[in-house]
Amino acid sequence: MAVSTALLGTTQVLAVKKGASWGTSAAVMGAGDGMSYLSGVANHSAPVYIDDSRGQVYSMDGFLGPVTCAPKYSYFLRHNSSLKVAPDLLIALFMGSATSVLAATPAYTNTYKFAKDTSGLFASIARGVMKLDGTFAYVEDVPSAQVVGLTITGEAGPKPLTVEVECLGTNKIVDDSGVNKTSTITNVTMAETANGVNWSQLVFRLRSRDGTALSAGDKIYPSKWTLSMKRPMKGDYTGQVHTVQVTGGPLPQDVIDAPSNSDMPDLSLTLEFPIHADNSRLAAQLKDTRYKLDITATGALITGTTYYQQLWQFPHLQLMTVNPTDDNNRLKETLTFKIHGLSAATADMPGIAEPLWWTMINKLATSALT
């Protein structure tokens, strides 16, 4: 019997391409389709309905039911120094809006506004598992995946911020019968592997929503933050979309149609502070004080006086919890906010009525959604 060689997680390749037709794979073959990532797989399951006909003590056969596919991936947030779209594409698909404007050659400003609806915006995702000899053992191909969750975490220290995306997918193909296979994923090249958005680059500014414009005097100094955003979306088994039957495989199975909104989004922001110094935030919670916040990450110089940048703007935050620790050491403080939109933009953040604008200055010269 031949001895098997274990596959290593370090040799995996991930590629993402904007899809055009739900249930049909887009070919992830371009140089801009690959991305560096930390972990993730396309979780796939299907219930087995047993044949419980009379005359048998235990089941003799089973029928595969509808497919559930829930891809989930995490990666470091980086400033994009090239035309490689994939990392920014996942963000754009979740946010639902993307515009690109020349800032200063070769720098571009890419703005992602939190859209009301992201229906029809999805991607094909392929994960290749490589052997040590450089060839691929197999490719995990998800024909269509809707990004329904995005979480950013970061804390003081050397590591870049981490992004985690959650998806609703159609199904997973691993037998090389799909569009993305071992013979094509070799064309994929990694995207950005440098230019991490590190904690030391971040500046936080917080002020009451109806106060004057944010300024240097509004800086705050958390040691950890978590931005959690979920879009409740649902796809139905309508009988219109099926898996493809392959030689020796099961009969076609139902997969979901293109997901659409099923409820309001769930948006929250948590800031953890290493010092609890007074009762000011506790009092603000009791008064239901509303806040506005911006977070800026400034990276290396691109050209002239233009730097890589990530900017998150929240025009309306409502305090949900203020939790100081209770122990014998230095007291810490955790604030959790509900993120809201506005009926009309404020003068301090002109044009922003959505819950969040996420603006990047980098070298991506086209909209991630084109």
Side-chain angles (χ1 to χ4, degrees):
M1 180 182 293
V3 178
S4 298
T5 301
L7 298 170
L8 298 179
T10 55
T11 59
Q12 295 176 103
V13 173
L14 188 69
V16 183
K17 185 81 168 184
K18 186 173 181 288
S21 177
W22 183 260
T24 302
S25 289
V28 293
M29 297 175 60
D33 298 336
M35 60 179 289
S36 173
Y37 81 114
L38 295 170
S39 64
V41 296
N43 300 304
H44 174 282
S45 65
V48 174
Y49 297 95
I50 65 169
D51 182 349
D52 57 357
S53 301
R54 299 295 191 269
Q56 52 194 29
V57 177
Y58 44 79
S59 62
M60 304 295 289
D61 199 3
F63 314 105
L64 287 176
V67 171
T68 298
C69 184
K72 190 174 183 178
Y73 307 96
S74 65
Y75 59 97
F76 285 139
L77 182 63
R78 304 176 191 272
H79 299 290
N80 196 333
S81 67
S82 68
L83 296 176
K84 296 179 179 179
V85 177
D88 292 8
L89 174 59
L90 289 172
I91 293 168
L93 290 171
F94 178 81
M95 294 295 288
S97 171
T99 57
S100 179
V101 179
L102 180 66
T105 306
Y108 288 79
T109 298
N110 294 278
T111 303
Y112 305 97
K113 304 175 184 179
F114 192 91
K116 295 178 180 178
D117 186 16
T118 60
S119 301
L121 297 176
F122 51 87
S124 296
I125 303 175
R127 182 178 67 97
V129 182
M130 191 186 297
K131 300 178 185 178
L132 292 179
D133 64 4
T135 63
F136 283 90
Y138 67 92
V139 171
E140 176 184 270
D141 182 18
V142 180
S144 299
Q146 181 94 26
V147 184
V148 296
L150 190 149
T151 301
I152 302 173
T153 57
E155 61 183 312
K159 289 186 178 181
L161 305 184
T162 299
V163 179
E164 183 178 271
V165 293
E166 300 174 49
C167 307
L168 286 178
T170 46
N171 63 312
K172 178 171 68 174
I173 302 169
V174 294
D175 59 5
D176 239 29
S177 64
V179 170
N180 300 303
K181 55 189 69 180
T182 55
S183 60
T184 61
I185 203 164
T186 55
N187 298 314
V188 172
T189 55
M190 284 289 192
E192 188 68 64
T193 56
N195 293 309
V197 179
N198 297 324
W199 186 265
S200 58
Q201 299 175 13
L202 299 179
V203 174
F204 295 77
R205 300 189 303 175
L206 180 72
R207 190 180 184 90
S208 63
R209 183 192 64 185
D210 301 321
T212 56
L214 290 164
S215 65
D218 298 316
K219 289 182 182 179
I220 57 174
Y221 302 94
S223 57
K224 184 176 181 179
W225 77 301
T226 301
L227 171 61
S228 176
M229 300 186 289
K230 311 288 185 185
R231 290 184 181 271
M233 301 186 77
K234 186 177 185 295
D236 289 318
Y237 300 103
T238 64
Q240 294 176 291
V241 190
H242 303 278
T243 61
V244 177
Q245 186 176 17
V246 297
T247 302
L251 293 172
Q253 298 165 260
D254 283 329
V255 298
I256 59 171
D257 63 1
S260 57
N261 290 341
S262 62
D263 206 339
M264 286 186 176
D266 184 6
L267 312 174
S268 65
L269 174 72
T270 298
L271 302 177
E272 296 185 19
F273 293 84
I275 297 174
H276 172 64
D278 54 46
N279 68 342
S280 58
R281 301 300 181 199
L282 292 166
Q285 182 191 14
L286 295 177
K287 295 177 182 177
D288 195 20
T289 301
R290 307 303 173 92
Y291 290 91
K292 57 194 169 193
L293 169 74
D294 65 20
I295 306 169
T296 305
T298 303
L301 182 68
I302 301 177
T303 182
T305 58
T306 303
Y307 290 80
Y308 288 108
Q309 188 179 92
Q310 304 262 349
L311 170 64
W312 296 267
Q313 293 173 287
F314 304 90
H316 185 184
L317 299 177
Q318 182 178 14
L319 263 175
M320 291 194 295
T321 60
V322 180
N323 289 323
T325 57
D326 179 20
D327 56 37
N328 292 329
N329 300 308
R330 292 177 57 170
L331 297 186
K332 301 177 181 180
E333 183 175 82
T334 300
L335 311 180
T336 301
F337 300 89
K338 177 63 72 175
I339 303 171
H340 299 298
L342 290 171
S343 57
T346 66
D348 185 25
M349 293 185 178
I352 306 179
E354 296 85 355
L356 167 64
W357 277 22
W358 184 348
T359 302
M360 304 179 188
I361 298 177
N362 55 34
K363 290 186 179 181
L364 184 62
T366 58
S367 166
L369 293 179
T370 55

